[in-house]
Amino acid sequence: MSMYFDNAGTTAIKPEVMEAVLPYLAGYYGNASSIHAVGRDARKAVENARAQVAAAIHAKPEEIYFTAGGTESDNWAVKGTAFAHCEKGKHIITSAIEHHAVLHSCQWLQKQGFDITYLPVDAHGLVSLADVEAAIRPDTILISIMMANNEIGAIQPVAEIGALAKAHKVLFHTDAVQAVGAVPIDVGALGVDMLSLSGHKIYGVKGVGALYIRQGVRIDSLLHGGAQERGRRAGTENLPAIVGLGAAIELITQDIESHVLRLIKKRDRLIGGILTAIPHTRLNGHPTRRLPGNVNVSVDYIEGEALLLRLDLAGFQASSGSACTSGSLDPSHVLLAIGLSHEAAHGSLRLSVGDFNTEQDVDELLAVLPGIVQSLRDMSPMYQNRS
Ligand SMILES: *Cc1c(COP(=O)(O)O)cnc(C)c1O
């Protein structure tokens, strides 16, 4: 399991998180909305987790709303803002490299008559502040730009975008699912009105996340029913997962500096090792404004999927820039947006380092990767016919 280099896809649960969660699977089964003693124990645990999430991003506990994950948080921020503010306007600004939870929400809103601007990014994957400002119109109601990209690791100038949004009185949402534990987050300093996060990318439980909504920001609910989450998100709270999110976010943010350094060391050895040992490879994303665990390289003359399967056989789990594992053969929209050709996007490899990867794993991966790439190239007509 330690040969798992797909931590941007999901992470293994940390023992400390497991320890926090287990009592809420085994013993504490209360419904946090019940007023009896069993319910009150559950309520206490939910509110404790809310305080932990709030502290991690320097928000107030009453600004944290638990959801079923990053996807729901993104959907809620985008659609909830759209519906609450459509009388002011129907224009939303986002970027071409957002997670599909934001992009597909925007595309769905287009069908409801909203107008979406998809900002391009430069070759390193960064949006330009001038582009953001130029895109703002009198009818703009939301800017949604992610803090850090899940594929290429590019870290956006969120505080600067937040300042622009504030100056133009436009709401600003950021998807910080990948940024938590990698970049210090202070919602006040960043000037964000809404921020999405998720449990399973930070060694927590799957199917839980949170949306930060700044006090006073009006957005519509997506889920209607009971009065949970102060009437804004119906549904009985996922008690064990919420407790796990609280534990996971506290753990990762308390240890953020050393966590980042540990990851950067392994990331940079991987990047250096690959670019040196394997010809016709290039790093995708920004050289420095980059998630500490993210490696994304184009490996010319091969298919990413074939490389993934060979790596998996050798005991290493990775990911690539073509999404055919998820039922589509389309190359990654992120890699296309930074200017890669379809071929280069298909031949990309993402290795995302996490805390469970050891230096020895990195050595072992670097020991086998060049041979695997060469054997795939030896079978590749693209490689034989290269000019
Ligand atoms: C994983 C991810 C999501 C979706 O989160 P889930 O909890 O898996 O629904 C959203 N945005 C980014 C950037 C992600 O990496």
Side-chain angles (χ1 to χ4, degrees), residues 13-22 202-205 243-245 247-248 251:
I13 295 179
K14 282 211 169 171
E16 296 91 332
V17 175
M18 184 87 92
E19 207 179 303
V21 168
L22 277 178
I202 55 170
Y203 317 107
V205 181
V243 168
L245 174 58
L251 195 62

PDB file of all heavy atoms in Angstrom, residues 13-22 202-205 243-245 247-248 251:
ATOM      1  N   ILE A  13      -6.606   6.335   5.210  1.00  0.00           N
ATOM      2  CA  ILE A  13      -6.982   6.961   6.487  1.00  0.00           C
ATOM      3  C   ILE A  13      -5.826   6.837   7.478  1.00  0.00           C
ATOM      4  O   ILE A  13      -5.213   5.784   7.596  1.00  0.00           O
ATOM      5  CB  ILE A  13      -8.254   6.286   7.042  1.00  0.00           C
ATOM      6  CG1 ILE A  13      -9.433   6.566   6.105  1.00  0.00           C
ATOM      7  CG2 ILE A  13      -8.572   6.779   8.453  1.00  0.00           C
ATOM      8  CD1 ILE A  13     -10.727   5.922   6.533  1.00  0.00           C
ATOM      9  N   LYS A  14      -5.520   7.929   8.154  1.00  0.00           N
ATOM     10  CA  LYS A  14      -4.457   7.898   9.167  1.00  0.00           C
ATOM     11  C   LYS A  14      -4.968   7.217  10.439  1.00  0.00           C
ATOM     12  O   LYS A  14      -6.148   7.330  10.780  1.00  0.00           O
ATOM     13  CB  LYS A  14      -3.994   9.319   9.480  1.00  0.00           C
ATOM     14  CG  LYS A  14      -3.071   9.868   8.411  1.00  0.00           C
ATOM     15  CD  LYS A  14      -2.050  10.843   8.980  1.00  0.00           C
ATOM     16  CE  LYS A  14      -1.002  11.128   7.914  1.00  0.00           C
ATOM     17  NZ  LYS A  14      -0.097  12.222   8.295  1.00  0.00           N
ATOM     18  N   PRO A  15      -4.064   6.535  11.152  1.00  0.00           N
ATOM     19  CA  PRO A  15      -4.471   5.828  12.375  1.00  0.00           C
ATOM     20  C   PRO A  15      -5.153   6.747  13.384  1.00  0.00           C
ATOM     21  O   PRO A  15      -6.123   6.345  14.030  1.00  0.00           O
ATOM     22  CB  PRO A  15      -3.158   5.291  12.947  1.00  0.00           C
ATOM     23  CG  PRO A  15      -2.154   5.383  11.854  1.00  0.00           C
ATOM     24  CD  PRO A  15      -2.635   6.356  10.836  1.00  0.00           C
ATOM     25  N   GLU A  16      -4.678   7.980  13.493  1.00  0.00           N
ATOM     26  CA  GLU A  16      -5.281   8.917  14.462  1.00  0.00           C
ATOM     27  C   GLU A  16      -6.732   9.230  14.083  1.00  0.00           C
ATOM     28  O   GLU A  16      -7.581   9.432  14.951  1.00  0.00           O
ATOM     29  CB  GLU A  16      -4.496  10.234  14.501  1.00  0.00           C
ATOM     30  CG  GLU A  16      -3.061  10.120  15.007  1.00  0.00           C
ATOM     31  CD  GLU A  16      -2.050   9.878  13.889  1.00  0.00           C
ATOM     32  OE1 GLU A  16      -2.430   9.278  12.849  1.00  0.00           O
ATOM     33  OE2 GLU A  16      -0.883  10.283  14.048  1.00  0.00           O
ATOM     34  N   VAL A  17      -6.988   9.288  12.770  1.00  0.00           N
ATOM     35  CA  VAL A  17      -8.347   9.571  12.300  1.00  0.00           C
ATOM     36  C   VAL A  17      -9.242   8.367  12.602  1.00  0.00           C
ATOM     37  O   VAL A  17     -10.355   8.502  13.127  1.00  0.00           O
ATOM     38  CB  VAL A  17      -8.342   9.890  10.786  1.00  0.00           C
ATOM     39  CG1 VAL A  17      -9.763  10.059  10.253  1.00  0.00           C
ATOM     40  CG2 VAL A  17      -7.509  11.150  10.521  1.00  0.00           C
ATOM     41  N   MET A  18      -8.717   7.198  12.288  1.00  0.00           N
ATOM     42  CA  MET A  18      -9.449   5.955  12.560  1.00  0.00           C
ATOM     43  C   MET A  18      -9.832   5.874  14.035  1.00  0.00           C
ATOM     44  O   MET A  18     -10.971   5.525  14.381  1.00  0.00           O
ATOM     45  CB  MET A  18      -8.529   4.777  12.204  1.00  0.00           C
ATOM     46  CG  MET A  18      -9.188   3.437  12.333  1.00  0.00           C
ATOM     47  SD  MET A  18     -10.019   3.037  10.815  1.00  0.00           S
ATOM     48  CE  MET A  18      -8.702   2.140  10.009  1.00  0.00           C
ATOM     49  N   GLU A  19      -8.887   6.217  14.887  1.00  0.00           N
ATOM     50  CA  GLU A  19      -9.119   6.149  16.330  1.00  0.00           C
ATOM     51  C   GLU A  19     -10.239   7.095  16.764  1.00  0.00           C
ATOM     52  O   GLU A  19     -11.044   6.784  17.634  1.00  0.00           O
ATOM     53  CB  GLU A  19      -7.818   6.540  17.034  1.00  0.00           C
ATOM     54  CG  GLU A  19      -7.613   5.957  18.406  1.00  0.00           C
ATOM     55  CD  GLU A  19      -6.275   6.408  18.970  1.00  0.00           C
ATOM     56  OE1 GLU A  19      -5.233   6.160  18.314  1.00  0.00           O
ATOM     57  OE2 GLU A  19      -6.277   7.043  20.036  1.00  0.00           O
ATOM     58  N   ALA A  20     -10.281   8.259  16.118  1.00  0.00           N
ATOM     59  CA  ALA A  20     -11.329   9.232  16.452  1.00  0.00           C
ATOM     60  C   ALA A  20     -12.699   8.761  15.951  1.00  0.00           C
ATOM     61  O   ALA A  20     -13.720   8.997  16.594  1.00  0.00           O
ATOM     62  CB  ALA A  20     -10.977  10.591  15.844  1.00  0.00           C
ATOM     63  N   VAL A  21     -12.697   8.076  14.795  1.00  0.00           N
ATOM     64  CA  VAL A  21     -13.961   7.700  14.144  1.00  0.00           C
ATOM     65  C   VAL A  21     -14.608   6.478  14.804  1.00  0.00           C
ATOM     66  O   VAL A  21     -15.829   6.427  14.972  1.00  0.00           O
ATOM     67  CB  VAL A  21     -13.709   7.401  12.640  1.00  0.00           C
ATOM     68  CG1 VAL A  21     -14.920   6.731  12.010  1.00  0.00           C
ATOM     69  CG2 VAL A  21     -13.344   8.680  11.896  1.00  0.00           C
ATOM     70  N   LEU A  22     -13.773   5.502  15.181  1.00  0.00           N
ATOM     71  CA  LEU A  22     -14.305   4.199  15.613  1.00  0.00           C
ATOM     72  C   LEU A  22     -15.385   4.251  16.689  1.00  0.00           C
ATOM     73  O   LEU A  22     -16.405   3.572  16.557  1.00  0.00           O
ATOM     74  CB  LEU A  22     -13.147   3.272  16.040  1.00  0.00           C
ATOM     75  CG  LEU A  22     -12.477   2.556  14.861  1.00  0.00           C
ATOM     76  CD1 LEU A  22     -11.314   1.693  15.351  1.00  0.00           C
ATOM     77  CD2 LEU A  22     -13.478   1.722  14.073  1.00  0.00           C
ATOM     78  N   ILE A 202      -7.347  14.283   2.593  1.00  0.00           N
ATOM     79  CA  ILE A 202      -6.446  14.654   3.698  1.00  0.00           C
ATOM     80  C   ILE A 202      -6.408  13.551   4.761  1.00  0.00           C
ATOM     81  O   ILE A 202      -6.371  13.821   5.952  1.00  0.00           O
ATOM     82  CB  ILE A 202      -6.835  16.019   4.322  1.00  0.00           C
ATOM     83  CG1 ILE A 202      -8.310  16.041   4.778  1.00  0.00           C
ATOM     84  CG2 ILE A 202      -6.581  17.155   3.336  1.00  0.00           C
ATOM     85  CD1 ILE A 202      -8.673  17.271   5.624  1.00  0.00           C
ATOM     86  N   TYR A 203      -6.414  12.290   4.303  1.00  0.00           N
ATOM     87  CA  TYR A 203      -6.294  11.131   5.196  1.00  0.00           C
ATOM     88  C   TYR A 203      -7.513  10.964   6.085  1.00  0.00           C
ATOM     89  O   TYR A 203      -7.424  10.403   7.175  1.00  0.00           O
ATOM     90  CB  TYR A 203      -5.010  11.211   6.049  1.00  0.00           C
ATOM     91  CG  TYR A 203      -3.786  11.666   5.276  1.00  0.00           C
ATOM     92  CD1 TYR A 203      -3.252  12.949   5.449  1.00  0.00           C
ATOM     93  CD2 TYR A 203      -3.173  10.815   4.354  1.00  0.00           C
ATOM     94  CE1 TYR A 203      -2.148  13.369   4.738  1.00  0.00           C
ATOM     95  CE2 TYR A 203      -2.056  11.228   3.643  1.00  0.00           C
ATOM     96  CZ  TYR A 203      -1.544  12.514   3.834  1.00  0.00           C
ATOM     97  OH  TYR A 203      -0.443  12.926   3.119  1.00  0.00           O
ATOM     98  N   GLY A 204      -8.662  11.474   5.628  1.00  0.00           N
ATOM     99  CA  GLY A 204      -9.918  11.301   6.353  1.00  0.00           C
ATOM    100  C   GLY A 204     -10.816  10.291   5.648  1.00  0.00           C
ATOM    101  O   GLY A 204     -10.359   9.503   4.812  1.00  0.00           O
ATOM    102  N   VAL A 205     -12.103  10.382   5.955  1.00  0.00           N
ATOM    103  CA  VAL A 205     -13.080   9.420   5.461  1.00  0.00           C
ATOM    104  C   VAL A 205     -13.686   9.934   4.148  1.00  0.00           C
ATOM    105  O   VAL A 205     -13.813  11.140   3.949  1.00  0.00           O
ATOM    106  CB  VAL A 205     -14.184   9.234   6.529  1.00  0.00           C
ATOM    107  CG1 VAL A 205     -15.235   8.226   6.085  1.00  0.00           C
ATOM    108  CG2 VAL A 205     -13.570   8.807   7.854  1.00  0.00           C
ATOM    109  N   VAL A 243     -16.787  13.436  12.291  1.00  0.00           N
ATOM    110  CA  VAL A 243     -15.773  13.354  13.345  1.00  0.00           C
ATOM    111  C   VAL A 243     -14.393  13.103  12.715  1.00  0.00           C
ATOM    112  O   VAL A 243     -13.391  13.705  13.097  1.00  0.00           O
ATOM    113  CB  VAL A 243     -16.136  12.235  14.361  1.00  0.00           C
ATOM    114  CG1 VAL A 243     -14.967  11.932  15.285  1.00  0.00           C
ATOM    115  CG2 VAL A 243     -17.374  12.633  15.157  1.00  0.00           C
ATOM    116  N   GLY A 244     -14.358  12.244  11.693  1.00  0.00           N
ATOM    117  CA  GLY A 244     -13.105  11.948  10.996  1.00  0.00           C
ATOM    118  C   GLY A 244     -12.553  13.162  10.268  1.00  0.00           C
ATOM    119  O   GLY A 244     -11.343  13.400  10.260  1.00  0.00           O
ATOM    120  N   LEU A 245     -13.437  13.957   9.665  1.00  0.00           N
ATOM    121  CA  LEU A 245     -12.984  15.167   8.969  1.00  0.00           C
ATOM    122  C   LEU A 245     -12.355  16.143   9.967  1.00  0.00           C
ATOM    123  O   LEU A 245     -11.301  16.723   9.710  1.00  0.00           O
ATOM    124  CB  LEU A 245     -14.156  15.828   8.234  1.00  0.00           C
ATOM    125  CG  LEU A 245     -13.875  17.182   7.573  1.00  0.00           C
ATOM    126  CD1 LEU A 245     -12.744  17.101   6.555  1.00  0.00           C
ATOM    127  CD2 LEU A 245     -15.130  17.734   6.905  1.00  0.00           C
ATOM    128  N   ALA A 247     -10.940  15.442  12.839  1.00  0.00           N
ATOM    129  CA  ALA A 247      -9.648  14.914  13.295  1.00  0.00           C
ATOM    130  C   ALA A 247      -8.597  15.067  12.205  1.00  0.00           C
ATOM    131  O   ALA A 247      -7.451  15.470  12.466  1.00  0.00           O
ATOM    132  CB  ALA A 247      -9.799  13.442  13.694  1.00  0.00           C
ATOM    133  N   ALA A 248      -8.974  14.753  10.953  1.00  0.00           N
ATOM    134  CA  ALA A 248      -8.009  14.783   9.848  1.00  0.00           C
ATOM    135  C   ALA A 248      -7.521  16.198   9.573  1.00  0.00           C
ATOM    136  O   ALA A 248      -6.323  16.434   9.365  1.00  0.00           O
ATOM    137  CB  ALA A 248      -8.650  14.198   8.586  1.00  0.00           C
ATOM    138  N   LEU A 251      -5.231  17.434  12.381  1.00  0.00           N
ATOM    139  CA  LEU A 251      -3.933  16.749  12.301  1.00  0.00           C
ATOM    140  C   LEU A 251      -3.067  17.361  11.196  1.00  0.00           C
ATOM    141  O   LEU A 251      -1.894  17.685  11.408  1.00  0.00           O
ATOM    142  CB  LEU A 251      -4.204  15.270  12.006  1.00  0.00           C
ATOM    143  CG  LEU A 251      -3.093  14.260  12.199  1.00  0.00           C
ATOM    144  CD1 LEU A 251      -2.663  14.225  13.664  1.00  0.00           C
ATOM    145  CD2 LEU A 251      -3.579  12.862  11.775  1.00  0.00           C
TER     146      LEU A 251
END
